[in-house]
Amino acid sequence: MTITAVVFDIGETLTSDTRYWADWARWLGVPAHTMSALVGHVLARGLDNAEAIRILRPGCDVPAQWRARQAAGQGDRLEEADLYPDVRPALRQLRGAGVWVGVAGNQNAAVTGLLRGLDLPADAIATSGEWGVSKPRPEFFDRVAQWAPGDRQQIVYVGDHPANDVVAARAAGLRAAHLRRGPIGLTTPAPDADWTVDSLTELSDLIVRQLG
């Protein structure tokens, strides 16, 4: 079946979380490598990455700390350097082949504007905060299916997280691509995806070839 749309997850699919956790490390007053190691540790145990902060600061109210960071002018930010190098070429290639390109992931609503500010080669950008529903809930993928053009089997969802991205998208009737990137994408057992790739360039090449 012809692919009409490809929708991309955000964190560790389009953007690296490296600087995000380095900012947290500075806020908490710990070395960046310590923060990164703890994030990897909690993710390997299947826990939410915010648990890394609670290991450093037992009993920490993470949302309150986040609000304090925002009040201090150290809240959300996205820069060109946060994008993986293959993002723009892959998205441009897909759009050049006539594929509708969307970006939708689990982020707060403020990130929507930051992503739009990067002027990505995408047709539409949305976040779970904007939609009021997050992955892996099926309602998130229902929104994707309503948002992107084509039938569900013509829409591909791309992400690094096997459960939240691949399994949940396929359960909703979408096609799914697993990107082996980031601590979760590289260490979690591979899901039953339509495609498993090591880069977005590899995926865009495969899809464009399939389109003929």
Side-chain angles (χ1 to χ4, degrees):
M1 185 175 287
T2 302
I3 295 167
T4 57
V6 179
V7 179
F8 294 87
D9 170 47
I10 301 167
E12 291 303 337
T13 296
L14 301 185
T15 62
S16 168
D17 288 343
T18 301
R19 200 253 322 136
Y20 173 84
W21 288 111
D23 286 350
W24 266 112
R26 280 192 291 274
W27 177 258
L28 296 170
V30 299
H33 74 273
T34 299
M35 189 81 251
S36 295
L38 288 173
V39 171
H41 170 71
V42 299
L43 292 177
R45 295 175 59 197
L47 302 174
D48 185 271
N49 51 24
E51 290 303 314
I53 298 171
R54 296 188 180 98
I55 290 173
L56 287 165
R57 299 288 184 271
C60 173
D61 183 338
V62 177
Q65 282 294 306
W66 179 245
R67 291 191 294 272
R69 279 188 56 186
Q70 290 176 310
Q74 297 184 36
D76 290 305
R77 62 189 176 106
L78 275 177
E79 303 168 357
E80 184 69 23
D82 294 321
L83 294 174
Y84 279 103
D86 57 1
V87 171
R88 290 189 184 277
L91 271 57
R92 278 197 297 264
Q93 183 182 18
L94 289 168
R95 291 187 83 194
V99 177
W100 187 92
V101 173
V103 175
N106 282 355
Q107 301 282 350
N108 66 62
V111 174
T112 314
L114 296 174
L115 284 165
R116 289 174 181 153
L118 290 175
D119 194 26
L120 294 170
D123 294 286
I125 294 171
T127 57
S128 59
E130 184 180 36
W131 282 351
V133 63
S134 59
K135 298 180 292 183
R137 288 175 58 187
E139 293 88 352
F140 178 92
F141 293 98
D142 289 342
R143 287 295 300 265
V144 170
Q146 294 162 9
W147 185 58
D151 296 331
R152 292 191 183 221
Q153 277 294 297
Q154 294 178 299
I155 301 168
V156 181
Y157 191 80
V158 185
D160 67 298
H161 198 298
N164 288 1
D165 298 331
V166 179
V167 174
R170 294 195 70 181
L174 308 179
R175 299 172 81 177
H178 178 224
L179 177 62
R180 295 185 66 255
R181 176 136 81 195
I184 296 177
L186 287 169
T187 61
T188 307
D192 184 16
D194 293 277
W195 299 271
T196 296
V197 296
D198 292 317
S199 73
L200 296 181
T201 304
E202 181 184 354
L203 178 66
S204 62
D205 286 344
L206 287 169
I207 290 175
V208 169
R209 283 201 298 270
Q210 182 172 327
L211 293 173

